[in-house]
Structure formats: C-alpha cells, structure tokens
Amino acid sequence: QLHLVESGGGLVQPGESLRLSCAASGDTLERYGIGWFRQAPGKEREGVSCISSGGTTDYKASVLGRFTISRDMPKNTVYLQMNNLKPEDTAVYYCAAVVRYCPAYVTIPDSWGQGTQVTVSS
C-alpha cells in the first residue's frame, strides 16, 4: 500500500521560500494523483495543489503563481515549491493520494502523511 511522508517545513519570514517533499513508498506514483493540503489553527483542511497520475496540475487561487507542484518519478517524490510566502500560508501541510478528478481533492482514506509545519512570520 502507498505510504507518504512529508518534510521540508520550517519557520520563514514573509517573502521567503520553502520546498516541501512528499516521499512515497510501497507503490509507484505513476498509479496515483497526489494532493497537498493545509490546515491552519481553528480552520478546516483545504486543498492547495494537486498533480494527477497523468501529470495535470491544479492550484487554488490563493497560491496560483506562487506555488509549483512537481514530481520526480525516479525518486518517487512529489514536491511543492512555495515562493513569496505570506503569513496566511501558515499551516500544517499534508500530502495524500487523491482519486479520480484531481481538482476535486477527494482523498483515499488513510493515505495521509504525518504533516509538516510551515510558519510564516516576521
């Protein structure tokens, strides 16, 4: 079964950048779409970006032009490059496998990673 582990979060100032990694094991990413989600304190989890098994990408409006999702198939890893970070990007970021239509952000049960904290503060 697919197992996902997130890494790359940290504390940065507004305008700086981070690259998150979602390392997959147990199965090849060729069979799955992968979505990035985030949850801020007191708020519901929201989809941020996803890449389908065919390579099609999607971005929520609030991150479009700042974030880029990509994958390295030989490394079986999905990345989220986050540029020009803003305080409102502060959240725990998760990756999970998504089913069918990638931009719907419907996840496969129990596919979530453990999450990585991103804090943007001056």
Side-chain angles (χ1 to χ4, degrees):
Q1 64 184 53
L2 188 69
H3 179 67
L4 303 175
V5 177
E6 302 96 333
S7 63
L11 173 63
V12 297
Q13 295 183 344
E16 295 184 340
S17 300
L18 285 171
R19 188 179 73 163
L20 306 184
S21 297
C22 177
S25 61
D27 208 345
T28 174
L29 286 176
E30 293 180 351
R31 298 183 61 239
Y32 299 93
I34 299 294
W36 283 99
F37 301 78
R38 66 187 181 189
Q39 187 167 25
K43 296 187 176 181
E44 296 183 354
R45 190 173 297 177
E46 64 175 351
V48 177
S49 182
C50 67
I51 184 166
S52 74
S53 60
T56 302
T57 59
D58 178 77
Y59 301 92
K60 295 301 181 183
S62 61
V63 307
L64 185 65
R66 299 189 296 120
F67 291 9
T68 303
I69 191 169
S70 63
R71 62 186 182 183
D72 187 329
M73 302 308 291
K75 294 183 179 179
N76 219 26
T77 299
V78 174
Y79 301 98
L80 185 67
Q81 178 67 44
M82 305 186 297
N83 296 330
N84 192 25
L85 284 161
K86 302 177 180 181
E88 52 262 42
D89 296 317
T90 296
V92 178
Y93 283 71
Y94 303 87
C95 60
V98 298
V99 298
R100 304 191 70 83
Y101 186 54
C102 170
Y105 293 92
V106 177
T107 63
I108 297 175
D110 300 323
S111 68
W112 300 93
Q114 83 289 349
T116 185
Q117 176 72 49
V118 172
T119 302
V120 185
S121 177
S122 60

